[in-house]
Amino acid sequence: MYGNYLDKAAKIVAKKREANLKFEHARLTAEEKDDLLLKFHPDRIKKQFVELKIGPNKGQKAPIELAEMLQAKPRIEPEKIDLSHIDYETDVLVIGGGGAGTSAAIMASEAGAKVLLVTKLRVGDANTMMAEGGIQAADKPNDSPAQHYLDAFGGGHFDGKPELVYTLVNKAPSVIKWLNDLGVEFDKEADGTMVTTHGGGTSRKRMHACKDYSGAEIMRTLRDETFNRADKITVVDFTAAIEIIKNEKGEAAGAVLMNIETGEIRIAKAKVVIIATGGAGRMHYQGFPTSNHYGATADGLVIAYRAGAKLLYQDSLQYHPTGAAYPTQILGKLVTEKVRSLGAKLINKDGEVYIHPLETRDVNASGIIREVREGRGVKNDVQDAVWLDTPMIEMIHGEGTILKSIPAMYKMFIKYGIDIRKEPILVYPTLHYQNGGVEIDKTCHTNIANLLVAGEASGGVHGTNRLMGNSLLDVVVFGREAGIEAGKMFKKIKLSKTLSLQHVKNFEKARATAKIKGNAVSPKILPTYHHGNPEFDKEIPGATK
């Protein structure tokens, strides 16, 4: 039930539904895709990016909002931090409690390491939990990792680091087996065969799913396994890492931690540090809504950058084409690509299918933006948008398909009186994924010794565009790789006797030399939505004023 104007607009879609169901829009040519991206993708808007003035990526461009955080004042004054008082001493320090962080902790502990996992919210409060559509793996007879490689590498505009893409696709089948053995409830046929479906940009049906809450199911399993290893993994929640600590050789040797409720500062010393802090949707680049969890504020990029780690493709973000655009309460919430893989098509205000629903995400996002800007979008009081014609799903697959295959989508909309079995839904791109991040090699090493990065905080795996199902795969594959690597490393490393924050002091000097102005402090830790209300206009405890 949309109300008078939108009900009329939805009737236009319903009137043409039968014809649209039979109509198959041709795939765009490479030239058409390039032209569409150039004109309408947010990453191509030059005025939304600035040149970095300091740090390892000096001279390169970054989104305005990220550049501010990368070059902002640190939250601490190094000379006031007592590094001789050690609160935690461990073999492996994992920063982040999502899919990558828990996978890393599990594998490091399996190698005999004593692991400290710190997370600024709770274990599982992560983008992993919010992923819906599924996880890719080429484990069917008509598929192969080589085919998966071609899809992923091409889908990323051939910008991915080949060794990372190779690792991603070749480890995928064993990762699915590992998750299945741990207890992930994948969708299966009666005989136990895993159900697989298509995703945008994929040439084979290799999407393994758990209805439309795949990430939540995977995260539930990894979280439980982490807690089951309490003898080897110590979890400290509501605690953010705000600086990397180095030793006298310039190697990562721990982190400065801050309790986000009290502002209390703690020092963690470690042989190996793994950053697995996830994405940056809550930075709301260019004012876009986001599908990301509350803590996705690019913290890992900031602390790694200040420690001297190089970034890769920090100017590349993924705007998922189908974020909820109505009603206000769910603006930006993810409408999984699985809805389109089941047959729902994208429709403009005139009831026309204007693009193939399974073009790659950047292409479909650009297509929606084009329809809206050129006057073919559906106007409403929340966010001008296009229709996603969900009733097509049960016309194709039969009654009951939506409740069976995408129950979370049904529940998200029905609470606002919108029955997606009978009515189309309004969608518009939502800030979904950080394509770029800290540059790593195939075993998750950065250019800073003893500092590893895994998951969405890393850059290079997906090039400059990610295919559906490769994010859940990324966090588990490279989370495991980081944990396995740390499990080898810690046995050869002695805990540092001398700890230093000299790099933070050097960063401050660089800021002064570059005449960087402003009172912003970083890492951001949490977003603010108070709009200047003095009652809530307070800094996070312990923040530099």
Side-chain angles (χ1 to χ4, degrees):
M1 301 294 292
Y2 285 105
N4 190 32
Y5 169 72
L6 288 179
D7 277 344
K8 290 180 180 178
K11 286 178 181 177
I12 296 173
V13 180
K15 187 176 181 180
K16 297 186 177 183
R17 184 168 291 133
E18 287 280 359
N20 282 337
L21 190 61
K22 297 174 184 177
F23 174 69
E24 189 71 21
H25 196 287
R27 294 277 190 169
L28 298 181
T29 65
E31 292 75 18
E32 288 171 332
K33 291 178 184 179
D34 288 344
D35 184 61
L36 183 60
L37 292 170
L38 182 63
K39 291 179 179 177
F40 296 101
H41 196 276
D43 280 358
R44 308 299 178 93
I45 303 174
K46 292 182 179 180
K47 66 180 180 181
Q48 295 293 341
F49 298 83
V50 295
E51 189 176 289
L52 292 168
K53 297 180 179 179
I54 58 175
N57 293 76
K58 179 181 177 181
Q60 297 180 11
K61 66 178 182 177
I64 293 170
E65 301 87 347
L66 178 60
E68 181 184 43
M69 288 295 99
L70 292 175
Q71 301 178 139
K73 294 191 295 185
R75 286 192 170 275
I76 59 168
E77 296 176 50
E79 58 274 8
K80 294 183 179 180
I81 302 298
D82 183 6
L83 295 177
S84 66
H85 180 80
I86 308 300
D87 299 285
Y88 304 101
E89 194 169 279
T90 189
D91 295 323
V92 178
L93 170 63
V94 178
I95 303 170
T102 50
S103 295
I106 291 166
M107 298 313 294
S109 69
E110 202 166 274
K114 177 183 176 184
V115 180
L116 176 69
L117 187 154
V118 298
T119 180
K120 67 181 174 185
L121 296 175
R122 300 165 299 180
V123 175
D125 287 337
N127 284 345
T128 304
M129 178 67 78
M130 305 179 82
E132 296 169 347
I135 177 171
Q136 285 201 49
D139 58 1
K140 291 292 181 71
N142 69 332
D143 202 359
S144 69
Q147 192 64 44
H148 189 179
Y149 182 96
L150 292 174
D151 289 347
F153 195 48
H157 302 298
F158 305 98
D159 290 327
K161 294 180 70 171
E163 66 270 27
L164 298 183
V165 185
Y166 180 90
T167 300
L168 180 79
V169 302
N170 279 282
K171 298 285 184 179
S174 61
V175 157
I176 293 294
K177 183 181 185 304
W178 183 67
L179 291 172
N180 187 62
D181 291 346
L182 283 178
V184 171
E185 295 286 348
F186 287 110
D187 295 341
K188 297 175 182 176
E189 303 287 2
D191 64 358
T193 302
M194 289 199 187
V195 175
T196 51
T197 59
H198 271 302
T202 62
S203 60
R204 299 288 187 277
K205 291 182 178 181
R206 68 172 71 96
M207 202 69 57
H208 301 63
C210 313
K211 301 289 189 290
D212 58 346
Y213 44 83
S214 303
E217 171 62 10
I218 289 171
M219 192 68 251
R220 174 196 68 80
T221 306
L222 293 174
R223 180 184 58 211
D224 287 353
E225 184 65 17
T226 298
F227 289 143
N228 286 342
R229 294 169 175 265
D231 59 325
K232 290 284 185 70
I233 303 172
T234 299
V235 174
V236 180
D237 53 15
F238 297 107
T239 298
I242 56 176
E243 294 293 349
I244 297 298
I245 296 172
K246 292 185 174 183
N247 61 20
E248 69 280 2
K249 298 179 182 178
E251 302 166 332
V256 179
L257 311 176
M258 186 182 78
N259 182 299
I260 67 170
E261 296 178 301
T262 66
E264 183 180 14
I265 297 294
R266 293 294 179 97
I267 303 300
K269 180 193 280 192
K271 297 177 180 178
V272 183
V273 179
I274 301 174
I275 290 177
T277 51
R282 291 289 167 170
M283 299 285 281
H284 292 289
Y285 299 115
Q286 301 184 37
F288 271 80
T290 186
S291 63
N292 284 189
H293 83 105
Y294 192 57
T297 50
D299 294 0
L301 272 63
V302 170
I303 61 175
Y305 193 70
R306 225 162 14 228
K310 295 178 181 177
L311 305 182
L312 181 65
Y313 301 136
Q314 69 279 353
D315 57 337
S316 179
L317 287 304
Q318 181 170 88
Y319 296 81
H320 195 291
T322 54
Y326 187 94
T328 302
Q329 296 94 324
I330 55 172
L331 177 64
K333 290 278 284 182
L334 183 64
V335 176
T336 173
E337 195 165 308
K338 190 174 181 179
V339 177
R340 284 175 284 136
S341 71
L342 286 170
K345 295 181 181 181
L346 293 161
I347 312 288
N348 63 24
K349 74 168 187 178
D350 301 317
E352 297 172 342
V353 178
Y354 64 89
I355 200 168
H356 193 286
L358 291 180
E359 294 285 4
T360 56
R361 287 178 171 180
D362 54 350
V363 170
N364 258 325
S366 300
I368 293 173
I369 293 170
R370 179 193 63 193
E371 294 301 294
V372 170
R373 287 188 186 170
E374 294 185 350
R376 295 183 296 277
V378 182
K379 291 190 173 295
N380 66 85
D381 59 2
V382 178
Q383 168 66 62
D384 291 354
V386 299
W387 294 109
L388 183 58
D389 200 5
T390 49
M392 285 184 170
I393 293 172
E394 299 204 336
M395 291 174 70
I396 297 170
H397 302 286
E399 188 176 340
T401 300
I402 284 176
L403 290 180
K404 179 183 177 182
S405 299
I406 48 171
M409 289 295 94
Y410 172 80
K411 292 173 184 176
M412 184 166 79
F413 283 93
I414 197 64
K415 68 174 66 174
Y416 303 107
I418 300 169
D419 188 340
I420 68 173
R421 298 171 299 181
K422 302 173 183 177
E423 302 167 285
I425 56 178
L426 288 167
V427 295
Y428 189 77
T430 184
L431 189 53
H432 184 56
Y433 195 83
Q434 178 178 274
N435 289 327
V438 183
E439 185 170 4
I440 61 169
D441 65 15
K442 64 182 180 181
T443 50
C444 302
H445 284 276
T446 68
N447 61 295
I448 303 299
N450 302 341
L451 178 64
L452 311 181
V453 179
E456 195 173 349
S458 71
V461 180
H462 308 288
T464 50
N465 182 59
R466 179 180 63 77
L467 298 187
M468 173 193 181
N470 279 348
S471 59
L472 285 176
L473 182 59
D474 173 11
V475 299
V476 182
V477 165
F478 287 99
R480 279 172 50 88
E481 291 303 299
I484 292 169
E485 184 68 6
K488 297 174 183 175
M489 293 169 62
F490 88 93
K491 298 170 184 176
K492 305 174 185 177
I493 300 171
K494 292 183 178 180
L495 282 168
S496 300
K497 294 182 179 180
T498 305
L499 300 181
S500 172
L501 289 170
Q502 183 60 45
H503 61 284
V504 181
K505 297 178 183 178
N506 295 341
F507 192 85
E508 282 281 58
K509 291 177 183 177
R511 289 184 75 250
T513 300
K515 298 181 180 179
I516 294 173
K517 300 178 180 179
N519 295 316
V521 295
S522 66
K524 192 179 186 73
I525 299 181
L526 294 174
T528 53
Y529 296 105
H530 52 67
H531 299 297
N533 185 333
E535 185 176 345
F536 299 101
D537 197 13
K538 299 175 183 178
E539 287 278 6
I540 295 170
T544 305
K545 298 294 183 182

